[in-house]
Amino acid sequence: MLIAQITDLHIRPRGKPAYRVSETNALSERALDVIARLSPRPDLLVITGDLTDCGLAEEYALLRTMLDGLGIPVLLVPGNHDRRETLTAGLSLDSRQVLDGGFVQFVADCGPMRLIGLDTLLPGKSAGALCATRLSFLDRALTEAAGRPVAIFMHHPPFEIGMRVDAIGLNDAAQFRETLMAHGDVRQIIAGHTHRTCSGLWRGLP
C-alpha cells in the first residue's frame, strides 16, 4: 500500500494568482502530474486541507477537473480556507468520506492500516478545532480499528513547530491527545497548514 499526501493547494479561479503573486494552480497541476507518474503508482492520494484559496464554487470545479484526470482514489479533509458546503457540492467525494454532522471526514482501511481524516475547520477562523462531535467520531473510528495501526490526517497540526503559525494551530489539542492516548494503535499524525515540511514527536506520537 503506497499513500501519497499533498496539502494546501490553494486553487484559485483561472488567471488569478493567489495573493496576486503565487501561481498555485500551476504548482498543484505539477504536483499532481508527478504523483500520476510515480512508479510504483500510489494506491491513494490524501489531501490535508486548503484545497482552495477562497472556497469558491469555481475553484472547486477547477480542482475537480484536476483530480478526475488523476486516475488515483482521493480522500480529503478541509482546511481553514475551505467551505464545507461548497466543497461537498463541487467535488466528487470517495465513498469512504463520512459527512458526520456536516463535517467532512473519512475512515479508510487500506491494507493493514486504518486511515482517519479529521475536519478541523472552524468557520471564519484561521485556527482549527475539534468539537465533541468530531472527537466522538475519532473515538469510534479508533475503537473500530480493531488493532489495526492507525494514521491520522488533519489540516491543523496539534503541535508547535516554533513559528508564528503556531498561534493558528489546533485549539484544545489536549482533548485530541487524550482521545488518541486512550487507544494504543496510533502510529502517525499527518497535518498541513504551515506551508513547511517538518517532522518530529508530539507526546511520543510521530
Side-chain angles (χ1 to χ4, degrees):
M1 169 60 65
L2 181 62
I3 302 167
Q5 179 249 352
I6 56 176
T7 193
D8 292 76
L9 279 62
H10 289 271
I11 296 297
R12 292 288 289 130
R14 290 192 185 276
K16 295 184 178 180
Y19 313 106
R20 300 183 180 180
V21 295
S22 182
E23 296 288 349
T24 50
N25 292 5
L27 294 169
S28 296
E29 287 177 332
R30 186 184 302 171
L32 291 170
D33 182 60
V34 169
I35 290 169
R37 290 186 288 107
L38 287 174
S39 181
R41 190 175 178 83
D43 299 285
L44 178 69
L45 170 64
V46 180
I47 309 178
T48 48
D50 282 359
L51 288 74
T52 66
D53 197 49
C54 299
L56 302 176
E58 182 180 356
E59 295 171 337
Y60 289 112
L62 182 55
L63 176 59
R64 179 170 183 169
T65 300
M66 295 179 187
L67 296 179
D68 284 350
L70 185 62
I72 297 172
V74 177
L75 294 173
L76 55 87
V77 291
N80 52 291
H81 281 256
D82 291 306
R83 296 180 185 175
R84 293 188 187 99
E85 296 81 4
T86 318
L87 185 161
T88 55
L91 296 179
S92 178
L93 296 180
D94 189 285
S95 61
R96 293 168 289 186
Q97 295 280 169
V98 181
L99 304 179
D100 182 24
F103 299 114
V104 183
Q105 310 191 107
F106 66 78
V107 176
D109 291 330
C110 300
M113 292 200 68
R114 165 158 286 201
L115 313 181
I116 301 174
L118 298 175
D119 179 338
T120 57
L121 172 59
L122 192 58
K125 304 292 183 182
S126 295
L130 289 170
C131 61
T133 298
R134 285 173 280 187
L135 288 171
S136 177
F137 166 85
L138 172 62
D139 187 63
R140 289 196 309 274
L142 289 169
T143 299
E144 293 166 2
R148 288 175 177 265
V150 174
I152 306 289
F153 294 85
M154 57 203 299
H155 182 65
H156 295 84
F159 44 83
E160 294 185 355
I161 65 171
M163 295 176 59
R164 283 183 294 176
V165 74
D166 289 335
I168 55 172
L170 182 72
N171 295 335
D172 300 322
Q175 293 181 334
F176 171 59
R177 179 178 178 272
E178 287 176 9
T179 304
L180 297 184
M181 298 308 291
H183 303 268
D185 43 13
V186 178
R187 302 294 177 87
Q188 192 166 21
I189 302 168
I190 302 162
H193 193 46
T194 64
H195 295 205
R196 298 291 187 277
T197 300
C198 58
S199 61
L201 291 176
W202 177 61
R203 311 292 176 83
L205 295 173

